[in-house]
Amino acid sequence: MLHEKGLLISAEGCDGSGKSSALERACARLKQEGYSFLLTREPGGNKISEKIRNIILDIDNKDEDIKTEALLYAASRRQLMAQQLFPLLDDNQIVITDRFVDSSLAYQGYGRDLGADEILKINMFAIDGRFPNWTLFFDLDPEEGLRRISSKRGEKMDRLDNEKLSFHQKVYDGYKELEKKYSSRYISIDASKSMDEVYLQTYKILKEKIDDFLAKVK
Ligand code: TYD
């Protein structure tokens, strides 16, 4: 099948799950140890995708249609795939991405009630069916996630962070559905643990999956 080469690992979870900091710390350590990979984030990761990200997250865009939002996420993802991910994966390299297609399934499909099947369709077009080999799911009760965000004093809240808890609960429930549906690629991390523990678990899982992959491609 097309684009089955390389190793693609995504990190997923609700806002405030500590996903991004655990991932950055784990990846910095792996880099120090000599591992070579690209760490990127969604929405964004290149000039065009960053511009699309700014439109989506702009607090002034209150009248943005939810289908427009879903298409913009898919467009940003497509650009990242075409410009960076596919060339690396086709060259049998390793890519780790902070959020990927499951964010759209959870946030737009479940959170915004657009339906996971509809969102899957537009995203299949965007990613040419290249799902991650592994998805690290940072599992945290959404209420705790929101509590963490608001207790971080002085943090700039974006439009999406301001949404109500009911939205985040739907996103979380969506992730739990995806975890069942895609159980063979989902790896759950208990994000209610301390930052150090979450980071260490992230590091260990990434190292194991990368080592397995490198042993196979040798
Ligand atoms: P960001 O500030 O990058 O948050 P985080 O550190 O939690 O990843 O903002 C990303 C926001 O965009 C986050 O609330 C999730 C949302 N999102 C979607 O709704 N759909 C998507 O497809 C993606 C990639 C993100």
Side-chain angles (χ1 to χ4, degrees), residues 30-42:
L30 289 165
K31 283 253 156 96
Q32 259 178 7
E33 291 171 355
Y35 288 94
S36 165
F37 55 85
L38 172 76
L39 170 64
T40 187
R41 67 159 189 182
E42 274 207 24

Side-chain angles (χ1 to χ4, degrees), residues 15 19-20 42 53 73 77 99 103-104 107-108 160:
D15 297 29
K19 157 183 67 61
S20 302
E42 274 207 24
R53 172 194 174 89
Y73 278 120
R77 181 163 303 126
R99 296 195 180 280
S103 283
S104 281
Y107 281 80
Q108 280 64 56
L160 297 182

